[in-house]
C-alpha cells in the first residue's frame, strides 16, 4: 500500500512472483501510478466555475477565474461549506477528490438624501449593505408641506424606500423627499350691509392653526 498511488498491475516490467535462485536471491518488481483527482468548485450563488480534473496526488492547483455574484465581492475559496479554513493555492496540495466553497462579502453603498427644498436632511447620507434593509432614514421638514417619504426619483417620483425595504443596489444612490402642500385658508372681511367705505383686504394665505392679525379699516364704513 502506497498512499496517493495505485499499483499498475499491467506494467510491462512487473514481477510479482518468481522462483528463488540457487544463491538465495529473488527480485520482485511492482510499479505504481500517482493517483489523480478532480477539484470541484461550489460558487454559493455565484457564476459557475469549471472543475479541474486530472490533478495528481500531492500537487497544487492554480486559482480559477473568480466567480461573480450581484451585490457581493468574492472573498476566496474555502475547504468546507462552513467557510472556516481558506484554501491557499500556493501551498495546499490535493490528496483526494476535493470540493472548494466560495465565500462572499456583501457590498456596501452610500445613500444620500436630497431634501428637495426642505431643511437639510439629518443625516445627509448613510451606508447600507446589499440584501439588508435600509434601516433608519433621514428626517427633514418644510414649512407648509407634509413629508411623504423618500423616493428614488426627483420630485418624489419613482419607488418609495422605507426602513424595511431591502437594499438591491449596484451603485451609490440618492433618495429624494416627497412633499404634499398643506391646505391654506384666506381671511376676508365683510361690510355686513355697509353702503360706503372700504373693508380691509388680506392677501395672505394661512396654514391651519396659524395666527392672523385683524386688519383695520382704510376708511369709515356707513
Amino acid at each position: 500500500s502506497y498512499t496517493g498511488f495505485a499499483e499498475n498491475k499491467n506494467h510491462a516490467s512487473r514481477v510479482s512472483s518468481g522462483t528463488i535462485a540457487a544463491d538465495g536471491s529473488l527480485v520482485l518488481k511492482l510499479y505504481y501510478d500517482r493517483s489523480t483527482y478532480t477539484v470541484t468548485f461550489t460558487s454559493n450563488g455565484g457564476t459557475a466555475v469549471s472543475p479541474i480534473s486530472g490533478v495528481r496526488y500531492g500537487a497544487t492547483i492554480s486559482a480559477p477565474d473568480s466567480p461573480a455574484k450581484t451585490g457581493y465581492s468574492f472573498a476566496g475559496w474555502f475547504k468546507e461549506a462552513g467557510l472556516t479554513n481558506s484554501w491557499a493555492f500556493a501551498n495546499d496540495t490535493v490528496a483526494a477528490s476535493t470540493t472548494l466553497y466560495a465565500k462572499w462579502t456583501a457590498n456596501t453603498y452610500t445613500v444620500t438624501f436630497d431634501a428637495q427644498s426642505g431643511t437639510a436632511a439629518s443625516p445627509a447620507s448613510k451606508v447600507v449593505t446589499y440584501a439588508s434593509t435600509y434601516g433608519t432614514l433621514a428626517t427633514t421638514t418644510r414649512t407648509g408641506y407634509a413629508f411623504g417619504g423618500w423616493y428614488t426619483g426627483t420630485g418624489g417620483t419613482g419607488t418609495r424606500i422605507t426602513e424595511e425595504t431591502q437594499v438591491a443596489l449596484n451603485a451609490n444612490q440618492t433618495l429624494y423627499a416627497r412633499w404634499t402642500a398643506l391646505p391654506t385658508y384666506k381671511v376676508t372681511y365683510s361690510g355686513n350691509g355697509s353702503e360706503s367705505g372700504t373693508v380691509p383686504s388680506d392677501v395672505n394665505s394661512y396654514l391651519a392653526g396659524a395666527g392672523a392679525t385683524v386688519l383695520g379699516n382704510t376708511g369709515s364704513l356707513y
Side-chain angles (χ1 to χ4, degrees), residues 99-140:
T99 299
L100 299 181
Y101 302 86
K103 181 177 182 179
W104 299 99
T105 301
N107 293 337
T108 58
Y109 302 98
T110 298
V111 176
T112 302
F113 299 96
D114 187 330
Q116 297 280 277
S117 299
T119 57
S122 178
S125 64
K126 69 174 298 184
V127 174
V128 296
T129 302
Y130 187 85
S132 298
T133 59
Y134 277 77
T136 303
L137 302 177
T139 58
T140 180

Side-chain angles (χ1 to χ4, degrees), residues 68-99:
K69 184 178 180 181
T70 300
Y72 293 84
S73 295
F74 179 64
W77 293 105
F78 282 71
K79 299 176 182 179
E80 60 287 299
L83 307 176
T84 302
N85 299 293
S86 63
W87 181 274
F89 287 91
N91 301 314
D92 284 329
T93 58
V94 176
S97 294
T98 302
T99 299

Side-chain angles (χ1 to χ4, degrees), residues 125-218:
S125 64
K126 69 174 298 184
V127 174
V128 296
T129 302
Y130 187 85
S132 298
T133 59
Y134 277 77
T136 303
L137 302 177
T139 58
T140 180
T141 59
R142 184 180 177 187
T143 301
Y145 291 82
F147 178 66
W150 294 104
Y151 284 76
T152 57
T154 58
T157 59
T159 303
R160 184 175 184 182
I161 300 299
T162 67
E163 294 183 358
E164 291 76 26
T165 301
Q166 189 175 68
V167 178
L169 304 175
N170 56 14
N172 295 331
Q173 181 184 49
T174 298
L175 295 180
Y176 302 88
R178 173 182 282 186
W179 299 104
T180 302
L182 296 173
T184 58
Y185 303 92
K186 301 289 291 184
V187 177
T188 58
Y189 294 84
S190 171
N192 198 23
S194 63
E195 297 179 354
S196 64
T198 303
V199 296
S201 176
D202 191 342
V203 297
N204 296 309
S205 296
Y206 298 94
L207 294 171
T213 300
V214 177
L215 303 178
N217 289 340
T218 56

Side-chain angles (χ1 to χ4, degrees), residues 7-8 13-16 28-32:
E7 185 183 352
N8 183 350
S13 300
R14 181 175 186 265
V15 179
S16 62
L28 303 179
K29 298 180 180 179
L30 301 180
Y31 293 85
Y32 291 82

